[in-house]
Amino acid sequence: MATQDPPASCKVVLAGSIAKNLQHEVSEGLLKLERKPSLVGFLANKDPAAQLYSSWTQKTCQENGFEFTLQEVDREELENHILTANQDNAVDGIIVYYPIFNSRQDQYLQQLIDVRKDVEGLCHTHVFNMYSNIRWLDEQKLQKSILPCTPLALVKILEHLKVYNTILPYGNRLFGRTILVVNRSEVVGRPLAALLANDGACVYSVDVTGVQKFTRGEGIKKKRHEVVNKEGWTLEDCVPLCDVVISGVPGNAFHFPTALLKDGVICINFSTEKNFGPEVKERASIYVPAIGKVTIIVLLRNLLRIVQNRQSSSTTGNGEVD
């Protein structure tokens, strides 16, 4: 009698399958609006990743009933274009495809966008709320704060993979999870570590400068996360401790040391390059090789929330996305 091969130990989960659930949520919310939400995008560079992101945005907007206008502008004129869009009542949301100057001037541009139109959640109000673990814009808790698209996309992926424990109270559902984030950029890595720690996880954040530990303290008793430098620590110290490994190192020089992974770990790659080699499937129980399609749907979800927030400022907030 022939013996059957055992089932593959690693399940590869594609971003498209995760995005479908969010897409349904967005479609349901869209039906409750009187008109299509309008998004304007500003492209002021020749960066291939930014150009690809803008084309994905346009395609996804068209497929899901959102209006999208892409404006290719000179970076020296971008400030004026943002200010004009802020005042345009026909524009519901604004997205800028970074990098523009690759300097602190990019942060200045982020602060120019009206908080009521910031679909990326990068202006001061949203960033402050994110790091402070403040989830609402108003005392009545009708208007939710906007979170950055890529970190939020990774949170939604972890929810889809049941890493979040829904038995626990909202805000504590990562308690008991140990997560590694390899990337500490101000756009993705650091915000992601903060979000996960604020939800109760123990997060090791790694970049070229070293390792930091993000937690809400012993027993997650603190309201917001705290950060501790782990002097002398490297990937060798923290990888074996982690249930989930999320890597997003740009460029093709970095290759994650998969030999350090513990059996059954969940691995997620959010870099445009493959940080994990094919051998990751020998250790991981679940592997998500890319997240782009989820990020784009989260962008539309943020735009929908912005429109709903504006409506809830004068109504009871019906149709809000949770």
Side-chain angles (χ1 to χ4, degrees):
M1 186 175 184
T3 59
Q4 292 184 338
D5 292 333
S9 59
C10 180
K11 171 71 173 178
V12 177
V13 179
L14 300 181
S17 64
I18 302 171
K20 285 181 180 179
N21 290 336
L22 291 171
Q23 196 168 14
H24 177 73
E25 176 187 340
V26 168
S27 297
E28 288 291 310
L30 197 59
L31 292 174
K32 300 176 183 178
L33 302 181
E34 295 179 355
R35 65 173 179 83
K36 294 180 179 181
S38 174
L39 176 66
V40 60
F42 293 111
L43 184 62
N45 59 49
K46 300 298 182 182
D47 180 74
Q51 292 177 330
L52 181 61
Y53 190 16
S54 67
S55 66
W56 281 354
T57 308
Q58 185 167 27
K59 182 175 183 294
T60 308
C61 282
Q62 291 172 345
E63 291 175 347
N64 291 276
F66 290 75
E67 292 185 358
F68 177 71
T69 303
L70 179 65
Q71 297 186 24
E72 297 188 44
V73 302
D74 185 279
R75 67 180 189 174
E76 300 297 338
E77 297 296 325
L78 179 56
E79 178 177 345
N80 290 333
H81 285 285
I82 291 173
L83 294 175
T84 299
N86 281 344
Q87 299 299 318
D88 188 345
N89 291 331
V91 174
D92 295 306
I94 299 170
I95 180 172
V96 175
Y97 296 100
Y98 297 99
I100 306 299
F101 294 94
N102 260 327
S103 67
R104 289 179 63 87
Q105 195 164 348
D106 283 5
Q107 296 176 15
Y108 167 72
L109 293 171
Q110 291 168 3
Q111 305 315 312
L112 283 181
I113 298 176
D114 190 324
V115 64
R116 296 167 298 179
K117 299 188 177 187
D118 180 16
V119 295
E120 296 182 282
L122 297 177
C123 71
H124 172 74
T125 298
H126 293 315
V127 171
F128 175 82
N129 284 355
M130 176 186 65
Y131 283 116
S132 301
N133 202 14
I134 298 171
R135 307 192 180 213
W136 304 91
L137 292 171
D138 61 328
E139 292 183 0
Q140 293 77 21
K141 295 185 177 181
L142 298 176
Q143 303 177 48
K144 272 201 167 183
S145 195
I146 302 298
L147 297 173
C149 295
T150 301
L152 180 55
L154 287 158
V155 166
K156 291 301 174 184
I157 289 169
L158 293 178
E159 288 180 349
H160 178 86
L161 299 177
K162 310 300 183 185
V163 175
Y164 276 74
N165 184 351
T166 55
I167 295 175
L168 297 177
Y170 177 71
N172 290 347
R173 290 177 175 173
L174 287 180
F175 185 41
R177 306 295 193 191
T178 303
I179 301 175
L180 174 68
V181 178
V182 187
N183 175 302
R184 200 156 58 239
S185 69
E186 296 300 326
V187 178
V188 182
R190 187 185 298 276
L192 176 62
L195 286 172
L196 299 178
N198 284 341
D199 277 341
C202 169
V203 183
Y204 291 103
S205 170
V206 179
D207 74 354
V208 293
T209 66
V211 179
Q212 293 182 339
K213 183 179 179 180
F214 287 59
T215 70
R216 275 171 46 202
E218 185 176 351
I220 59 171
K221 295 176 182 177
K222 297 188 176 181
K223 181 180 179 181
R224 52 158 293 173
H225 73 281
E226 60 183 10
V227 182
V228 176
N229 287 316
K230 303 296 288 183
E231 299 294 341
W233 275 46
T234 66
L235 282 173
E236 292 185 357
D237 297 291
C238 48
V239 173
L241 305 176
C242 296
D243 312 301
V244 179
V245 173
I246 304 170
S247 188
V249 179
N252 55 16
F254 176 77
H255 299 284
F256 192 92
T258 52
L260 297 176
L261 295 169
K262 71 177 185 180
D263 286 344
V265 69
I266 294 173
C267 292
I268 303 172
N269 175 75
F270 71 86
S271 173
T272 53
E273 305 292 338
K274 292 183 178 180
N275 285 185
F276 298 97
E279 68 277 6
V280 70
K281 299 175 187 177
E282 298 174 9
R283 293 292 184 94
S285 60
I286 297 174
Y287 174 48
V288 182
I291 70 163
K293 290 184 179 180
V294 180
T295 303
I296 294 294
I297 289 296
V298 164
L299 173 67
L300 298 189
R301 187 178 182 273
N302 277 358
L303 177 58
L304 179 62
R305 189 183 297 287
I306 281 175
V307 175
Q308 293 168 334
N309 280 350
R310 187 169 64 241
Q311 290 179 341
S312 69
S313 64
S314 56
T315 67
T316 59
N318 290 332
E320 181 176 304
V321 177
D322 293 327

